[in-house]
Amino acid sequence: MTKYNNKKTVVDGITFDSKAEAHFYEDLKKAKEAGRVVSFELQPSFILQEGFVRYDGKKILPIKYVADFRVQYPDGTEEVIDIKGQETAMFILKRKMFWKQFGIPLICLQYSKKYGERWIELEELKRLRAENKKGK
């Protein structure tokens, strides 16, 4: 078990941190076969801040962010995708650093059965849940 109670799942000999990530991988493969995706990369790594030597000579390691997927589309655009159940404070900070440094979309998705059996951006899902809560 992982720290967020996700169940590691193996597909095509690749171990994913959760069933949701494995499901998204399978959807990406279908999208590539259908021509909606040109290519995708698993676990792309980004350096958000270079390492450096501190004032007292101690070496400080770089700050890295490892996403779940990087996807390239036929129109030449790309986006970085993270499959999230919840956003941690560390993720929110790293996402801001990522946006500033790389200038490409970093999208958090969650699979929603309740809202149309589809992948949905976490921000939209939060909005729909809030609206649903108000309506009750």
Side-chain angles (χ1 to χ4, degrees):
M1 250 341 152
T2 63
K3 65 180 175 179
Y4 299 111
N5 294 321
N6 294 328
K7 185 176 180 187
K8 291 205 180 264
T9 303
V10 178
V11 176
D12 295 341
I14 303 164
T15 302
F16 294 91
D17 287 337
S18 68
K19 287 181 186 179
E21 280 182 38
H23 180 191
F24 190 75
Y25 166 76
E26 290 176 322
D27 286 351
L28 276 175
K29 287 194 328 181
K30 290 174 190 168
K32 186 176 178 188
E33 287 173 14
R36 294 187 311 272
V37 165
V38 173
S39 65
F40 60 89
E41 178 185 354
L42 307 175
Q43 302 284 301
S45 182
F46 301 89
I47 295 178
L48 301 174
Q49 177 182 293
E50 296 293 334
F52 61 97
V53 177
R54 196 168 68 179
Y55 57 88
D56 60 359
K58 182 176 181 198
K59 190 174 188 179
I60 304 297
L61 296 175
I63 298 173
K64 293 182 182 179
Y65 165 64
V66 178
D68 293 328
F69 303 94
R70 178 189 286 194
V71 182
Q72 297 200 329
Y73 297 97
D75 65 1
T77 61
E78 71 175 285
E79 58 189 13
V80 174
I81 297 174
D82 233 312
I83 306 302
K84 290 272 183 240
Q86 60 187 356
E87 296 170 304
T88 64
M90 179 64 75
F91 173 76
I92 291 168
L93 178 64
K94 285 185 173 186
R95 178 174 57 192
K96 288 177 184 178
M97 294 174 76
F98 178 91
W99 283 337
K100 181 172 185 343
Q101 179 145 346
F102 295 98
I104 58 174
L106 169 53
I107 298 168
C108 297
L109 296 176
Q110 191 175 93
Y111 193 80
S112 173
K113 290 182 180 178
K114 183 174 184 174
Y115 298 104
E117 299 246 352
R118 63 187 173 111
W119 290 102
I120 187 169
E121 286 193 45
L122 212 46
E123 291 300 315
E124 183 183 353
L125 186 57
K126 286 180 197 175
R127 183 184 56 74
L128 290 170
R129 286 176 175 161
E131 286 174 5
N132 195 32
K133 198 173 184 179
K134 278 186 206 173
K136 287 188 176 183

